[in-house]
Amino acid sequence: MSNKKFNILKFIANYLIILISIFALITIIFAGLLEFINRSVLSGKDLLIFFIVSAVASILFSIVFKLNNISIVLQAIIIYFLLSLIVVLVGYYVLYIYDIGHNYKLFISTIIFIIVGLVFLILFLIIKLRKVNKSLNENLKNFKERDH
Amino acid sequence: MKKISKKIIILVIILLMFMGINYVIMDTNHNVVLANESVEFENFDYEIEKIRQDGDLKINIILSWDTKEEIFINHIFITVPNQEEEVTNIKPESNLKNNNMYHYNLNFTVQNWQIGTMKIDIAYSNNLANTSEEHYIFYIAEGKYLEEEISWGNAIFLAIITTFCIAIGTFIIIENNKKSYLDNIN
Amino acid sequence: MKLQIDEIPNLEETEIIIRCREVDDRINRIGNYIRTSYITINGKDNGESYVLYLDDIYYFEAVDNKVFAYDEHKVYEVSYKLQELADLLRKTSFIQVARTVILNINKIEKVSTLVNGRISAVLINKEKMIITRAYAHAFKQKLNG
């Protein structure tokens, strides 16, 4: 298989995995929420909308992954933010689970906890990155001292 | 490539299982209860749809029925617990079907959020002069639009679960991206 | 261990012989250090030839089928191909970090990880190099010894 063909296949495979991950995520979240709140289930139309949203979002995610000049922390923040946005928009405009007028408690709680989750994510990544970089620089220091 | 294909297959299987559990065909007309028997309204059907108008959630109701003779709708009264609303100036679409029945299609939007059992009272008459008004009443119970406000405790619990799922999703997507280029190197 | 240094004024070329019972890690490191310190390469700048000590070179870079050596102040063109240098310098502190770059690890001040498996290296002259993901693993392995 030529290099170009392989790269195209690789890109498609990655795209599909992102698509399926997003689709599975929003299906699981909203199936659970609907079951808990309404005692109802997702319809075929809802699933189709989810699929279209996932397909479009996957394109965005694939573009984000092509950005090489951003830090690991920023990359994770962008992915988390985009996923949260998808969940909130689908819940607001498609399933009407989130609404400022009605069910505002769920809407406000979700927004607050998404922000809290983001803060935790940033802290976790900064600590992890510092640890990795510290270890790498220690190895560098040992290497240089070994040679001198 | 083999590892990526395996992951895709596993994810597709999990997804199909979820779709199988959650897929449902919209069901109508199984919760209608007639308060009075009327021989005039036949094949009565209704559809309820949530819509967003100017940022507000409203209910769009579509009713359809057949009658042997032509009728003229005067008013429609919508009643839910603690709330009554009259929907006026509604003109149904009508057409004569092959079996000489009059088919009516009525589409209207209810302004307020509905909670509880909804009573729909259609006031109609048999002629334009409105000489005698009759009522056709029915109830819609436990339709898909019926929701109760959830408590703060439940809201917080659900919000935590949602956030947790988003975090897991972020982790999976990033890790998969990392693995895909490591696979290429190796 | 015994250390003997003989100063011989009319010696043509410096010769270092290590006698040991077994070649272990320490002996290898001493050998690598000596190689890095004493291997020289000829470089040209504006038509003039120079003898370059490996210890002074920050990195080699291939541009337009030519290979250049960068020290702290100047750039020299060398007559080796990049792959030849990679083979020659395998047991020294030099390592290939990109398709066109061989870097001297001793000239790195600090490193940090980037997205998509790349590593950023800041050299002691504050210049930044990117270790691409294809070479990042080998780089980490070399640091670990």
Side-chain angles (χ1 to χ4, degrees):
Chain A
M1 194 186 291
S2 74
N3 220 14
K4 200 176 177 187
K5 249 191 199 171
F6 180 75
N7 282 335
I8 293 171
L9 274 174
K10 188 186 81 178
F11 178 79
I12 292 172
N14 281 338
Y15 172 80
L16 283 174
I17 289 178
I18 297 171
L19 190 154
I20 289 171
S21 304
I22 299 173
F23 183 77
L25 175 78
I26 52 181
T27 303
I28 290 166
I29 288 175
F30 289 115
L33 284 178
L34 277 182
E35 187 68 44
F36 194 94
I37 299 169
N38 286 4
R39 290 172 298 282
S40 70
V41 292
L42 293 166
S43 68
K45 182 184 156 201
D46 295 332
L47 290 174
L48 182 63
I49 294 174
F50 289 179
F51 184 80
I52 294 168
V53 166
S54 304
V56 171
S58 301
I59 296 172
L60 261 174
F61 279 60
S62 300
I63 294 170
V64 169
F65 283 128
K66 287 289 175 199
L67 299 170
N68 273 334
N69 296 330
I70 57 174
S71 72
I72 292 175
V73 177
L74 187 59
Q75 186 189 56
I77 291 170
I78 293 172
I79 303 286
Y80 181 90
F81 174 75
L82 285 175
L83 279 178
S84 307
L85 194 66
I86 290 167
V87 167
V88 170
L89 288 177
V90 168
Y92 194 86
Y93 286 107
V94 178
L95 294 172
Y96 307 111
I97 284 178
Y98 301 130
D99 186 54
I100 298 166
H102 313 282
N103 253 343
Y104 66 94
K105 292 174 193 167
L106 181 63
F107 186 55
I108 290 171
S109 310
T110 303
I111 298 288
I112 290 173
F113 275 95
I114 283 175
I115 294 169
V116 167
L118 182 63
V119 169
F120 271 108
L121 179 75
I122 293 170
L123 283 172
F124 171 76
L125 284 171
I126 288 175
I127 292 169
K128 187 177 168 201
L129 194 64
R130 273 214 182 133
K131 215 170 150 190
V132 166
N133 286 341
K134 190 178 170 194
S135 158
L136 209 54
N137 282 301
E138 256 172 37
N139 288 343
L140 174 68
K141 188 175 155 209
N142 292 338
F143 180 91
K144 284 168 24 175
E145 277 170 7
R146 275 202 309 259
D147 270 12
H148 290 94
Chain B
M1 277 305 286
K2 259 194 184 168
K3 283 188 193 169
I4 293 170
S5 323
K6 265 194 202 160
K7 280 186 220 163
I8 292 176
I9 290 168
I10 291 169
L11 277 171
V12 166
I13 291 171
I14 295 172
L15 196 63
L16 285 172
M17 279 167 56
F18 267 108
M19 281 168 69
I21 292 166
N22 285 305
Y23 185 76
V24 73
I25 298 166
M26 275 278 281
D27 197 357
T28 59
N29 206 22
H30 69 287
N31 280 325
V32 177
V33 176
L34 295 179
N36 60 333
E37 286 284 331
S38 170
V39 295
E40 289 181 351
F41 283 63
E42 289 177 37
N43 301 325
F44 190 88
D45 200 3
Y46 75 95
E47 255 182 62
I48 289 176
E49 196 189 18
K50 248 190 279 187
I51 56 170
R52 200 177 278 283
Q53 261 182 22
D54 304 324
D56 280 335
L57 275 173
K58 291 177 187 170
I59 305 296
N60 197 40
I61 300 177
I62 303 169
L63 306 175
S64 65
W65 66 87
D66 296 332
T67 56
K68 285 207 181 86
E69 42 191 84
E70 204 175 356
I71 59 169
F72 302 93
I73 308 289
N74 300 330
H75 313 280
I76 296 177
F77 294 99
I78 310 290
T79 312
V80 288
N82 305 322
Q83 212 167 283
E84 191 176 303
E85 185 176 340
E86 181 185 340
V87 182
T88 55
N89 296 326
I90 298 290
K91 292 281 174 282
E93 290 167 17
S94 65
N95 56 296
L96 198 56
K97 281 163 60 168
N98 289 342
N99 51 3
N100 287 327
M101 298 279 279
Y102 287 88
H103 178 76
Y104 291 88
N105 234 333
L106 195 62
N107 189 338
F108 59 95
T109 303
V110 181
Q111 304 296 315
N112 294 314
W113 188 246
Q114 307 298 333
I115 301 174
T117 301
M118 175 191 273
K119 174 185 167 188
I120 301 181
D121 178 355
I122 303 176
Y124 67 96
S125 46
N126 291 343
N127 51 51
L128 269 170
N130 293 342
T131 46
S132 70
E133 192 173 84
E134 296 195 34
H135 290 261
Y136 184 77
I137 299 171
F138 65 96
Y139 295 88
I140 298 176
E142 292 175 7
K144 282 207 163 108
Y145 73 100
L146 294 172
E147 286 172 12
E148 291 175 7
E149 289 262 354
I150 63 171
S151 63
W152 274 114
N154 284 339
I156 289 170
F157 170 71
L158 291 172
I160 291 172
I161 300 287
T162 304
T163 304
F164 183 71
C165 288
I166 293 172
I168 300 269
T170 305
F171 175 74
I172 288 174
I173 289 171
I174 290 178
E175 281 300 305
N176 172 69
N177 183 58
K178 219 192 274 181
K179 278 200 179 113
S180 73
Y181 64 74
L182 279 176
D183 281 345
N184 286 338
I185 294 165
N186 298 329
Chain C
M1 189 202 79
K2 279 190 288 187
L3 177 65
Q4 184 179 324
I5 300 175
D6 296 331
E7 192 177 335
I8 305 168
N10 56 358
L11 194 66
E12 236 181 73
E13 196 187 346
T14 301
E15 207 178 34
I16 298 173
I17 301 168
I18 301 174
R19 288 204 187 96
C20 57
R21 238 183 248 140
E22 187 192 356
V23 177
D24 61 10
D25 227 19
R26 206 171 295 193
I27 301 293
N28 273 327
R29 286 206 298 266
I30 293 170
N32 288 340
Y33 172 71
I34 293 169
R35 271 189 212 99
T36 309
S37 304
Y38 282 93
I39 290 179
T40 58
I41 285 180
N42 292 327
K44 275 191 180 155
D45 178 33
N46 285 333
E48 282 195 46
S49 289
Y50 296 85
V51 172
L52 310 171
Y53 284 94
L54 273 193
D55 229 9
D56 297 330
I57 296 175
Y58 281 53
Y59 58 93
F60 294 95
E61 189 176 13
V63 180
D64 293 338
N65 290 325
K66 292 180 187 164
V67 179
F68 297 90
Y70 293 75
D71 72 6
E72 195 180 350
H73 302 293
K74 286 171 113 177
V75 182
Y76 305 88
E77 187 183 341
V78 299
S79 56
Y80 290 91
K81 288 202 173 16
L82 202 74
Q83 193 49 51
E84 286 171 352
L85 282 171
D87 294 334
L88 178 72
L89 305 174
R90 198 171 297 280
K91 291 193 173 181
T92 65
S93 60
F94 282 78
I95 184 170
Q96 189 162 6
V97 295
R99 207 173 44 84
T100 55
V101 179
I102 295 175
L103 179 63
N104 185 355
I105 296 178
N106 289 333
K107 297 300 181 192
I108 301 177
E109 187 181 49
K110 65 177 178 188
V111 288
S112 56
T113 46
L114 295 175
V115 290
N116 299 337
R118 301 177 324 146
I119 299 173
S120 164
V122 177
L123 307 185
I124 53 182
N125 63 351
K126 306 302 173 198
E127 207 176 327
K128 265 192 192 166
M129 300 291 297
I130 300 291
I131 301 164
T132 61
R133 62 185 185 218
Y135 297 93
H137 185 64
F139 176 77
K140 285 181 194 169
Q141 273 189 324
K142 184 140 184 157
L143 287 188
N144 285 333

